[in-house]
Amino acid sequence: PCLGIGIMTSFIILLLLIRSPWINKLIYSIFGVIVILLMNSVRISYLLIHLYKNQSYQLAMDAHDLSNYFFYIVVFLLFLGYILWFQYVPLFRGKVGRLTFSV
């Protein structure tokens, strides 16, 4: 099981459960997935750099478990940020009116 796919899926499901406009859910879910992908890339890069420099995996605590906890906290904060700041942001204000010129 991949942590990234599981976290992204749970994040999107949490967003789908909230009552808000679909465009807000779509934009924020794309933003959240990008953040999770970037965090996972940084984690993998850090582990590879550590392995290259030390030729072994000897971290004091298991970095994999620590990153799992960190990812869950970040997903919770992203979810909380959606509820508090982005849930009802009016992205589109309805139909665009036609321009009329009067002389």
Side-chain angles (χ1 to χ4, degrees), residues 1-102:
C2 177
L3 174 69
I5 293 172
I7 290 284
M8 286 184 265
T9 305
S10 62
F11 174 71
I12 291 172
I13 288 173
L14 284 174
L15 286 183
L16 291 177
L17 293 175
I18 294 180
R19 176 176 285 168
S20 65
W22 282 99
I23 190 73
N24 290 22
K25 291 179 186 182
L26 179 67
I27 291 172
Y28 201 79
S29 63
I30 291 171
F31 169 74
V33 166
I34 290 172
V35 167
I36 292 169
L37 284 173
L38 288 174
M39 287 182 356
N40 208 12
S41 299
V42 168
R43 177 181 71 113
I44 292 169
S45 299
Y46 172 73
L47 289 173
L48 289 175
I49 290 170
H50 180 78
L51 282 172
Y52 178 75
K53 286 183 178 180
N54 299 324
Q55 303 298 321
S56 66
Y57 183 72
Q58 297 175 354
L59 295 175
M61 293 185 75
D62 189 15
H64 186 266
D65 289 339
L66 287 175
S67 65
N68 287 353
Y69 302 140
F70 178 71
F71 274 51
Y72 292 129
I73 291 170
V74 169
V75 166
F76 176 73
L77 292 176
L78 282 170
F79 181 67
L80 194 62
Y82 179 76
I83 291 173
L84 295 177
W85 295 298
F86 201 75
Q87 184 176 6
Y88 293 114
V89 172
L91 296 175
F92 298 105
R93 300 201 184 265
K95 296 180 181 179
V96 177
R98 294 183 183 176
L99 293 175
T100 56
F101 296 101
S102 59

